[in-house]
Amino acid sequence: MSSPHERNDRKKGFKPRLDRGPNAPRGKAAHGDGKDWLWGVHAVEAALANPKRGEPRRLVATADRAKKLSGHKNLEILEAQEIARYLPQGAVHQGLAMKPEPLEGSDIDAIGSPAKGVLVMLDQITDPQNVGAIFRSAAAFGAKGIILQDRNAPPLTGALAKAAAGAVDQIDHASVVNLSRALERLSELGWKVVGLDGAADTDLADALEGSATVLVLGSEGEGIRRLVAEHCDILARIPMPGGFESLNVSNAAAIALYEASRPGIGRKS
């Protein structure tokens, strides 16, 4: 005969608790925040191939995905739903996730020497999807690196790394305390600093001369801050003949990087 407690459990639709293991995230949603994790095939494989990283703190994969991995002693084989519990709800992990060691960046002298190519500086751009997309574009167009603030920038993991599709491990970055001072140092090293500003009088193509260039992008709401703008050699706009007033910052970055990567950039003779 069932006890009153058992009968009450059946009436409430009682389901037995699943044993998720000692390391599984707990809580009402049974999902982690993913801030210390990478997930998705491109992001994880790029991290595993990056010599700057050591062995991952954890590496989890489905059985099918694990067949393509070798030489990783901490590899754990889990069901897809078990992997999902470590990540934000809805994260598309493709059967692969890892908790990596932190990715160390370069200092400003290292990333700026020699003065050649294109660097991207992000001024208070905090949305992980946007920053990840900018990393992806920077890698695609051959930029030398990305400069971020050490406090007002999202971590290079989680949704940012997924949006970057492996680019956080394929392109160098530097985290600096003060962007204005970083620009001063880059100018000393021979870089020209071009700030993107929709209200500028100069078109971007006319501001580019083919020399070593730092492209500075500000947040969508406020743009480049005044002190950072004052350290730019020139402010330039992306002309938009369609009349639409603004672009998403990651789209603006992709256009600017394309323009800066073109042979013979700079229309002034």
Side-chain angles (χ1 to χ4, degrees), residues 230-267:
E230 289 175 357
H231 284 79
C232 295
D233 295 303
I234 190 170
L235 298 178
R237 65 187 180 94
I238 297 173
M240 286 177 269
F244 200 71
E245 292 185 359
S246 65
L247 292 170
N248 172 280
V249 67
S250 63
N251 292 334
I255 293 169
L257 284 159
Y258 165 75
E259 191 70 32
S261 69
R262 288 170 52 197
I265 57 174
R267 296 175 186 165

Side-chain angles (χ1 to χ4, degrees), residues 111-128:
I111 204 171
S113 301
K116 183 179 181 181
V118 177
L119 289 170
V120 180
M121 176 177 281
L122 305 184
D123 182 16
Q124 299 209 113
I125 299 175
T126 59
D127 180 77

Side-chain angles (χ1 to χ4, degrees), residues 84-233:
R85 290 195 176 105
Y86 296 103
L87 311 176
Q89 192 164 9
V92 181
H93 57 72
Q94 300 172 295
L96 188 59
M98 69 180 280
K99 182 179 280 191
E101 293 294 338
L103 181 61
E104 297 295 332
S106 299
D107 62 32
I108 202 67
D109 278 37
I111 204 171
S113 301
K116 183 179 181 181
V118 177
L119 289 170
V120 180
M121 176 177 281
L122 305 184
D123 182 16
Q124 299 209 113
I125 299 175
T126 59
D127 180 77
Q129 296 286 347
N130 280 333
V131 178
I134 292 169
F135 263 89
R136 189 172 184 174
S137 294
F141 289 109
K144 189 175 183 180
I146 292 182
I147 302 165
L148 308 154
Q149 287 178 292
D150 64 345
R151 292 186 179 180
N152 295 312
L156 303 184
T157 52
L160 186 159
K162 183 66 167 66
V168 296
D169 281 279
Q170 296 169 351
I171 185 170
D172 201 5
H173 77 278
S175 294
V176 299
V177 174
N178 188 300
L179 294 182
S180 296
R181 291 177 185 171
L183 289 177
E184 289 175 0
R185 180 57 182 152
L186 289 170
S187 293
E188 292 172 356
L189 291 172
W191 293 83
K192 178 179 180 178
V193 183
V194 179
L196 267 66
D197 184 345
D201 295 325
T202 304
D203 285 355
L204 178 60
D206 293 328
L208 298 171
E209 300 172 347
S211 58
T213 301
V214 184
L215 294 172
V216 184
L217 294 102
S219 64
E220 290 184 42
E222 299 179 4
I224 301 171
R225 291 173 297 161
R226 179 181 60 83
L227 287 176
V228 176
E230 289 175 357
H231 284 79
C232 295
D233 295 303

